[in-house]
Amino acid sequence: MPVKNMVTAIREGLRDEMRRDPSVMIFGEDVGPKGGVFGATESLHAEFGDWRVLDSPLSEACIVGVGVGAALYGMRFVAEIQFQDFILPAADQIISEAAKMRYRSNGAWHVPLVIRAPFGGGVHGALYHSQSFEAIFAHIPGLKVVVPSNPYDAKGLLISAIRDDDPVLFFEHKRGYRSLKGEVPDDLYTVPIGRANVVREGGDICILAYGMMVNTALKAAENLHAEGFECEVVDIRTLCPLDRETIVSSARKCGKVLVAQESNLAVSVASELAAIVAEECFEQLDAPVMRIGGPEIPAMPWAPPLEHFYMVDTGKLTAKLKELAAY
Amino acid sequence: MPVKNMVTAIREGLRDEMRRDPSVMIFGEDVGPKGGVFGATESLHAEFGDWRVLDSPLSEACIVGVGVGAALYGMRFVAEIQFQDFILPAADQIISEAAKMRYRSNGAWHVPLVIRAPFGGGVHGALYHSQSFEAIFAHIPGLKVVVPSNPYDAKGLLISAIRDDDPVLFFEHKRGYRSLKGEVPDDLYTVPIGRANVVREGGDICILAYGMMVNTALKAAENLHAEGFECEVVDIRTLCPLDRETIVSSARKCGKVLVAQESNLAVSVASELAAIVAEECFEQLDAPVMRIGGPEIPAMPWAPPLEHFYMVDTGKLTAKLKELAAY
Amino acid sequence: MTAAKADQSRQAGLDPDILRTMYRHMVRSRVLDERMWVINRQGRASFWISGMGHETVQVALGMNLRSGHDWVAPYYRDLALTLVLGMTPRDQLLAILAKAGDPNSGARQMPAHFSSREHNIISTGSSVATQLLHAAGIGLAIKVSGTDQVCATCVGEGSTSEGSFHEAVNFSATHKLPVVFLVENNGYAISVPLDKQMPTPDVADRAKGYGIPGVIVDGGDLAGCFTACRDAVDRARRGEGPTIIEAKVQRLTSHSSDDDEKRYRSADDIAATRNQDCLTRCRAFLEETGVLKPGEADEIRGEMVRELDIAMEEAEAAPSPAPESALLHVYGDV
Amino acid sequence: MTAAKADQSRQAGLDPDILRTMYRHMVRSRVLDERMWVINRQGRASFWISGMGHETVQVALGMNLRSGHDWVAPYYRDLALTLVLGMTPRDQLLAILAKAGDPNSGARQMPAHFSSREHNIISTGSSVATQLLHAAGIGLAIKVSGTDQVCATCVGEGSTSEGSFHEAVNFSATHKLPVVFLVENNGYAISVPLDKQMPTPDVADRAKGYGIPGVIVDGGDLAGCFTACRDAVDRARRGEGPTIIEAKVQRLTSHSSDDDEKRYRSADDIAATRNQDCLTRCRAFLEETGVLKPGEADEIRGEMVRELDIAMEEAEAAPSPAPESALLHVYGDV
Ligand SMILES: Cc1ncc(C[n+]2csc(CCOP(=O)(O)OP(=O)(O)O)c2C)c(N)n1
Ligand SMILES: Cc1ncc(C[n+]2csc(CCOP(=O)(O)OP(=O)(O)O)c2C)c(N)n1
Ligand SMILES: [Mg+2]
Ligand SMILES: [Mg+2]
């Protein structure tokens, strides 16, 4: 199978599904001739033209609100928010409108809308080009929140998202766009939304993670292996709704659980994962559910020493795993 | 001490602080001659005039964005969002601007802004006049999130919020405005932000709750008392930043913990509370940390049977406490 | 020229049948609306928000749309509009009585949160002005699909202060989308009067900034409303882009059943509003011009009340939703 | 009338000293901006976003404000404006070199996210157009305080598509707040050209919808920019309310150091832009009209480069922030 990086896998997913389904359209800032600020829509404007790959005005509420309308009409609409940091002007359209349309119409209407947004830090993006806002949206029933950790999943999950009849937020870690590479089939395939994935098996410590952090976890797991501890790594993949079964069964098996994420921990996805484990695996736990994440500061600063201070890297994760192993 | 209801206590807090400090101003939809849709600003326009109690245009981003600007200039600005359900158009101003202003200017600027918003259900308000969005904001460092559970705290915490140099979201459960009554001093006093409060002592089960749910918890605790179990009820009061010390010490003392809230549970304040307890009280826990809250549906429906299905009432809470007691 | 004369001059070219039908629609909405208030005051429903005083322009808009072909993104005052498009008094009674069979939302939303898949009336929530962007999106989808459909959307003048108003008009004008924006300007947003909301008296002024037509109509002028809506819909259908129609209407009630306008409006102001009732004005005009025969207006009202009574009986007999049904329709596949 | 003639006619009444000072400010900003690109291309800073081509109108605005008395809510292209108001090349070099002493943000924000408490320049984030509402709020606070201060705010034309633009202008116009809105229209929002952004070529058109003046100026016309800014600031100071000034400017670089405009602009379009460099045009005008003597422009540039070299040395020597300082300034009291 050919090896591709993350952004290529995403671009292919978009392109192939657009070729298959003429109702798919893309809308966002700079998605047209420029091909997006990260190149995710490169060449698509040339292939599909102005209406199917349309540069939006600089307005996120417009991007999503127009998407909701077009999706109600019958389009399969892929909205791009240039940076997840700038999704907030669209929060009302996402949470009040897209998430509630099916419910409030008692099933009469639905919104097949995908909202793609690059997120995450470690790229010298400073406060407003580094944030991880998944917690805000993973709290909202009616939304699906998907975060791929590798190119194969990215393509397959994105195609599933486009075919899904409900709004899907599709968050892509921008540091992974070019750094993450893997085998990706040339043809169309899907990876199911709503299912976590055990990407490394082990019986001593269960690591729950998603996005880039899965890759950090795999590296840290290698370090632990060298010290004689086997970590199981669960890639959560869909943050809403959660695959409780996979999470709980891995946690029960290992008896020790570390939840790792990039964003700050307070009232976050890590909180929910820890709470589920605490509630459902009490009798199997050999140690407290531990969490590691960003500090409780408003966002990641620009200066390299400050940015580095923020990020959970392999070293910090390994240290935390050792603490848990030693418990 | 005179007995007052919640909305009176809030109105008094606003009025007395405005009399004391001429830099305090109020801005929001219908806060002027009408006195707010719940009467929280009644009579204030008559007393303080058009500029200090100003009807805003129908735009929440404007309400908060203007508040940020005026607060930077030196005002102590109290913004009212008519229903918390409509706070989302202002999400960018709150999260990207107010929360980050001090941090991003390295301490040079700060935003003494209070955002008051009625929230919560059980008032036949349907999807858009019943929601509880505290989780979204309690995730954001740089914000303070305060939820009073009784008139005394409401007045004292509100005055603290106005005097605070940082943005404070002040969420008032609308079902409590008239139904909650208690002794409230006529004069100015403060209740500290950032401190939880043990409102009932007990050694068997620790209930962590905030807002209206504290009152439900107190009633359920009475029910358990009748069955021979003593519940300790901790009123969290400030959801961000959390008073970990009080929470952890009560949880450790009781060994059994129930977290109760009105909103759905996924990625919520209840998740964080449960995660903290799981992490810090592992050796003292005699049962899993349990949570009770709203179902995972987009919001509270209008028809009475559906609304009732959503709410955690004394009966449901008592049943859950018995389950925990029996563990 | 008196108002009545102006009305007559505009009437030129309008079939009396159209005018008579418009009047029937208005009465149908009005008697239903009055009944809603009764239901609320009887304590049988916790909420009602009225369209009384806004009916003329809504009826004019609805009659110029092709129901089930064109699309509509309404707001909570658009009771008359939904009826013209084919929803029934029974549908709206099922909603206010919180019955499972309510086609708007299965009684999940408050009444007056309209929706009908059958009639291409998209579901509206409560967050004002969000529907304007949905209309723009539907307009985009229509343009991409190459049909001759039109999307109409309505909003109060207060809600035009939201950013979404600008964003929706800007985008629709940029791409000449087939959208009609109807602003129902009743001078108040709950208690906030126009002069605290915006710097000029006319929302239609904004159209200039987008290079599109901005038309002001008297919301009690049957013929004027009809022709303004017809022109805007035709223009959209021809692919020439959006129009802002601003109808100067009267809010004949408090904002909603939870509001008491006496707290913020003078008795004179309220009385002046009542004297401008569009239904009374239209009746006078139609009788004056002979479109309605003497007594015909009363007959129409009687007929509408009888229809309503039957609908009311049916709605009352319908079942409430089952509690656990609250869990349905969160996702399509879960 | 040629462009140069138009310039001259507007010059009437402007002191040559003012024009010369304006030119000096422009050069000061330009040489610093050029240096920023060098620093970025050397790999010593991951990001720069330039104000080149926008300087004239920024200088005009800055010179009409009273620094430390009036208030400013700028955006990322406003390097020249911040220098006119009293920030220094050293301040901005400390930012791009990520030094602890950066007065804008302590190197927490990307460079070009300006702030100076001392000069009443509020801190700007990256979320475009949010600053417009801050300016409206400052305008409100000024009005309530009864001072004669003014708040100026700047934004790109693309960012006027955000709802906040409408909300800020609407509110400021409603209450005649002392705010000046400067739209720096360079025809692109990153890659998105004006005709995909809005339906008319002129943002100033929007002013009509709010009953306020909307003024268009050529962003290479020194005197025109000066008088437009002066008039708007004076009007605001007199309590007559806001003005929208739209300056037609050129973006002389790619959007930022992360962008390559060749991907979406033709070589001709780019070349045409370069030929409109406001600095070149101003120099020609000032030499033609004798305000600058032969050789004087080169002398000014030399002087500015020397100043910059010293600032650069100081900035390079300054310390980086300590890692744990990331935890500071979340709250005032924690
Ligand atoms: C985003 C949002 N903010 C506030 C409200 C509360 N609210 C409901 S209706 C209304 C006033 C609307 O006024 P206008 O747009 O003039 O319409 P009208 O009711 O007068 O027809 C307000 C403030 C809301 N529903 N949505
Ligand atoms: C809310 C938000 N959305 C998107 C962006 C990403 N972005 C940064 S600058 C820019 C283009 C701005 O164009 P314009 O307003 O014309 O200003 P210019 O850069 O041309 O001066 C975009 C889309 C952002 N910073 N903020
Ligand atoms: Mg109104
Ligand atoms: Mg631009």
Side-chain angles (χ1 to χ4, degrees), chain B residues 134-179:
Chain B
E134 66 276 8
I136 293 177
F137 300 101
H139 174 55
I140 307 296
L143 298 179
K144 296 183 178 180
V145 180
V146 172
V147 184
S149 71
N150 63 72
Y152 179 90
D153 280 0
K155 180 171 172 182
L157 283 165
L158 182 55
I159 293 170
S160 294
I162 298 173
R163 295 183 189 173
D164 201 288
D165 279 340
D166 289 304
V168 179
L169 304 196
F170 198 86
F171 294 148
E172 304 159 6
H173 201 295
K174 62 179 85 79
R175 198 154 59 91
Y177 274 141
R178 279 161 222 284
S179 70

Side-chain angles (χ1 to χ4, degrees), chain A residues 29-30 37 57-60 63 81-83 85-89 128-129, chain B residues 92, chain D residues 49-50 54 75-77 113 125-130 155-162 184-192 194 197 249 251 255-256:
Chain A
E29 294 155 15
D30 303 291
V37 295
L58 208 180
S59 158
E60 290 73 19
I63 295 170
I81 300 291
Q82 194 159 82
F83 289 86
D85 308 70
F86 306 130
I87 204 170
L88 296 174
Y128 296 98
H129 299 79
Chain B
D92 197 38
Chain D
I49 187 160
S50 183
H54 290 224
Y75 89 121
Y76 48 81
R77 298 222 188 270
H113 286 60
S126 301
S127 185
V128 298
T130 52
V155 70
E157 89 294 342
S159 304
T160 70
S161 295
E162 294 280 3
E184 304 180 25
N185 183 347
N186 59 19
Y188 284 90
I190 308 187
S191 73
V192 181
L194 199 77
Q197 193 73 247
V249 298
R251 195 182 81 190
H255 171 74
S256 75

Side-chain angles (χ1 to χ4, degrees), chain A residues 96 104 128 139 266 271 283 327, chain B residues 96 104 128 139 266 283 327:
Chain A
S96 303
R104 79 184 185 204
Y128 296 98
H139 174 55
S271 320
E283 316 216 333
Y327 189 92
Chain B
S96 302
R104 80 185 184 205
Y128 297 98
H139 174 55
E283 315 216 333
Y327 188 92

Side-chain angles (χ1 to χ4, degrees), chain A residues 96 100 103-104 128 131 135 139 141 264-268 271-272 275 278-279 282-283 287-289 291 297-298 301 327, chain B residues 95-96 100 103-104 128 131 135 139 141 264-268 271-272 275 278-279 282-283 287-289 291 297-298 301 327:
Chain A
S96 303
K100 295 183 173 60
Y103 193 78
R104 79 184 185 204
Y128 296 98
Q131 288 174 95
H139 174 55
N264 67 304
L265 292 172
V267 191
S268 69
S271 320
E272 178 64 22
E279 202 159 357
F282 180 69
E283 316 216 333
V289 197
R291 293 183 289 165
I297 63 179
Y327 189 92
Chain B
I95 296 175
S96 302
K100 295 183 173 61
Y103 193 79
R104 80 185 184 205
Y128 297 98
Q131 289 176 94
H139 174 55
N264 67 303
L265 293 172
V267 191
S268 68
S271 320
E272 178 63 23
E279 204 160 353
F282 180 70
E283 315 216 333
V289 197
R291 292 182 291 164
I297 63 180
Y327 188 92

Side-chain angles (χ1 to χ4, degrees), chain B residues 28-35 37 42-43 45 50 54-62 82 85-86 89 123-129 295-298 300-307 309-310, chain C residues 45-47 95-98 106-111 113 124-128 158-159 161-163 189-193 196-197 258-260 263-264 320-330:
Chain B
E29 296 155 15
D30 303 291
V31 298
K34 182 174 162 75
V37 296
E42 229 173 82
S43 80
H45 181 264
D50 234 5
L54 183 62
D55 277 336
S56 73
L58 208 181
S59 160
E60 290 74 17
C62 176
Q82 194 160 82
D85 307 70
F86 306 131
V123 296
H124 317 313
L127 273 74
Y128 297 98
H129 299 78
E296 298 301 324
I297 63 180
M300 203 175 292
W302 192 62
L306 305 180
E307 182 181 70
F309 179 85
Y310 192 106
Chain C
S46 58
F47 184 78
I96 197 168
L97 295 170
R108 289 170 166 205
Q109 295 217 76
M110 287 176 156
H113 286 60
T124 352
S126 301
S127 184
V128 299
S159 304
S161 295
E162 292 280 3
I190 309 186
S191 74
V192 181
K196 284 250 162 35
Q197 193 72 246
D258 286 339
D259 179 43
D260 175 9
R263 295 188 69 87
Y264 52 82
S320 302
E324 326 71 49
S325 74
L327 295 174
L328 301 175
H329 304 305
V330 179

Side-chain angles (χ1 to χ4, degrees), chain D residues 138-157:
Chain D
I138 293 167
L140 174 64
I142 291 172
K143 179 136 188 169
V144 173
S145 306
T147 75
D148 74 341
Q149 292 159 301
V150 164
C151 183
T153 184
C154 310
V155 70
E157 89 294 342

